Amino acid sequence: MVKFLDLQKINAQYEQELKEAASRVIDSGWYLLGNELESFETNYTKFCQTKHAIGVANGLDALRLIFKAYIELGIMQTGDEVIVPANTYIASILAITDNHLVPVFVEPNMDTYNLDSNKIEQAVTSKTKAVLTVHLYGQNSIDDTMLDVCKKYNLKLVEDSAQSHGALWKEKVMGSIGDAAGHSFYPGKNLGALGDAGAVTTNNDELAQVIRTLANYGSSKKYENVYRGLNSRLDEIQAAFLNVKLKYIHTDILGRRRVANYYLKHINNPDIILPEVLNQNSHVWHLFVIRTSKREKLQKYLNEHGVQTLIHYPIPPHKQQAYMEFSHLSLPTTEKIHKEVLSLPISAVLSESELEKITKTINLYSTDN
């Protein structure tokens, strides 16, 4: 069986360095808010070309803290609206509603699966305060139209960069273009920890300070609490692991592009819709997502022939039980995407023989089988 994602094989590449990092943290006797976190924040700031990187517990908290900080700063308040792509993972929506803000679902572009920037302006109301754009599957979602709308209506642009570590737009790194960005280092991400981990990046000094304080119980001085904060801190051992893997992120990106380009070149089944790439540098291929009208049949066929696949994501947020108040919305593009997408194996450790097996198996598939 070709695994969808072989995390054991991926991390085995760095086994000795990871073990040394773990030993260093254990021997230090310091496990939170120490030198490893400071080092990672410095390194990730350089990687993202931003002034600030704040390590937090996970990617969801990163987004939650951004909106919470804007509320504390008086920039947003309960009931304000945030425009968000309708086909995103539910974490993007949770970050909005957890802060008593209102998600406004906008359809994606069917070719790129990212927020359709041409549909943003028509969704703006007097209550709109931000656009949360998601660089879905690892491809940049920002363009000039999006930036122009945000400037015209004085909207904050928040990037959900959970899947796009190292993707570029006009030589700028994802996470450095908007007002703030949330990053996830969940183990399966391109830059993955060995547990939950996340970060916020921003160039705004005041916003960074509020987020850092909020993430530490709302305290910047022990036992003195300025805000009603959270406990959301990137621990020393995960920071140490991330410091190891960050050194190899560009090599990983090249490996993922190798796999994606192989698929794009060799998959020629007319029943399969391949993803569209706007620019090689703008896509880091966290996921390689195809579409087909009979997804379950294809997934069953591939599994029977030794190829593991996953669905990202089977149910759109507005159809989840948690958000039944939005179930009446008509979002045909989003619903079609969620019914048809299937993610193929992709990682830098996939071999040529595995890629050959995957593509040959797909090309032999027929909806008539």
Side-chain angles (χ1 to χ4, degrees), residues 7-166:
L7 286 177
Q8 188 174 22
K9 189 174 182 180
I10 289 170
N11 288 318
Q13 301 172 104
Y14 323 115
E15 180 178 1
Q16 189 57 41
E17 288 183 79
L18 291 171
K19 288 181 176 178
E20 290 172 0
S23 295
R24 186 171 65 248
V25 174
I26 293 168
D27 292 344
S28 75
W30 195 281
Y31 309 121
L32 286 170
L33 303 178
N35 293 333
E36 298 291 347
L37 175 61
E38 183 178 349
S39 175
F40 175 68
E41 288 180 342
T42 298
N43 292 334
Y44 201 61
T45 296
K46 293 177 181 176
F47 175 75
C48 291
Q49 302 173 3
T50 55
K51 291 178 67 176
H52 303 279
I54 304 107
V56 298
N58 53 68
L60 171 56
D61 276 5
L63 294 174
R64 289 172 67 203
L65 285 159
I66 291 169
F67 290 115
K68 190 172 179 65
Y70 278 132
I71 290 171
E72 293 291 354
L73 289 167
I75 294 170
M76 298 180 192
Q77 62 182 0
T78 298
D80 282 343
E81 297 174 349
V82 178
I83 291 171
V84 63
N87 63 316
T88 185
Y89 181 56
I90 201 167
S92 309
I93 314 303
L94 289 169
I96 297 168
T97 59
D98 279 359
N99 284 289
H100 305 290
L101 302 170
V102 180
V104 176
F105 298 99
V106 172
E107 291 270 57
N109 179 296
M110 180 59 90
D111 295 324
T112 66
Y113 309 124
N114 278 326
L115 180 60
D116 190 335
S117 58
N118 294 314
K119 295 179 180 177
I120 295 175
E121 188 167 16
Q122 65 196 50
V124 175
T125 72
S126 60
K127 290 187 175 183
T128 308
K129 292 296 186 294
V131 173
L132 174 57
T133 190
V134 183
H135 307 308
L136 199 64
Y137 308 148
Q139 182 161 221
N140 162 55
S141 62
I142 293 174
D143 60 18
D144 289 321
T145 300
M146 183 181 294
L147 295 177
D148 289 344
V149 172
C150 288
K151 183 177 180 180
K152 180 178 179 180
Y153 294 97
N154 193 29
L155 306 178
K156 296 298 181 184
L157 179 59
V158 179
E159 298 177 63
D160 185 336
S161 297
Q163 302 183 3
S164 61
H165 313 118

Side-chain angles (χ1 to χ4, degrees), residues 266-274 291-292 298 301 359-367:
H266 292 90
I267 295 175
N268 53 28
N269 190 315
D271 293 321
I272 305 298
I273 299 171
L274 295 171
R291 284 181 26 235
T292 183
L298 174 59
Y301 163 84
T359 52
K360 283 187 175 180
T361 304
I362 290 173
N363 287 338
L364 289 171
Y365 165 75
S366 171
T367 54

Side-chain angles (χ1 to χ4, degrees), residues 226-331:
V226 183
Y227 310 112
R228 299 180 184 183
L230 307 174
N231 174 18
S232 184
R233 300 175 296 198
L234 175 57
D235 66 70
E236 286 288 278
I237 202 160
Q238 296 303 336
F241 289 153
L242 287 167
N243 261 325
V244 170
K245 297 183 73 173
L246 183 59
K247 294 186 297 183
Y248 303 101
I249 186 65
H250 291 297
T251 301
D252 182 82
I253 291 171
L254 290 175
R256 288 173 175 273
R257 286 177 177 155
R258 170 185 64 85
V259 173
N261 287 331
Y262 189 98
Y263 285 150
L264 292 170
K265 181 178 179 180
H266 292 90
I267 295 175
N268 53 28
N269 190 315
D271 293 321
I272 305 298
I273 299 171
L274 295 171
E276 180 172 316
V277 188
L278 298 179
N279 182 293
Q280 280 289 343
N281 290 330
S282 72
H283 209 320
V284 292
W285 297 104
H286 171 58
L287 298 172
F288 190 96
V289 180
I290 61 174
R291 284 181 26 235
T292 183
S293 59
K294 296 182 179 179
R295 176 182 61 201
E296 284 69 24
K297 184 175 182 179
L298 174 59
Q299 185 174 41
K300 183 174 182 288
Y301 163 84
L302 289 173
N303 186 65
E304 290 172 347
H305 287 79
V307 178
Q308 184 183 39
T309 60
L310 292 180
I311 300 171
H312 298 87
Y313 308 95
I315 306 173
H318 72 288
K319 293 297 184 182
Q320 296 282 358
Q321 184 174 342
Y323 288 110
M324 289 300 291
E325 66 267 36
F326 299 110
S327 62
H328 67 282
L329 295 176
S330 176
L331 298 165

Side-chain angles (χ1 to χ4, degrees), residues 1-3 6 9 258 262-263 306-307 345 347 349-361:
M1 174 69 73
V2 180
K3 293 183 179 180
D6 193 337
K9 189 174 182 180
R258 170 185 64 85
Y262 189 98
Y263 285 150
V307 178
S347 75
V349 299
L350 278 173
S351 67
E352 290 294 314
S353 61
E354 288 174 319
L355 291 174
E356 184 178 359
K357 174 180 179 177
I358 294 166
T359 52
K360 283 187 175 180
T361 304

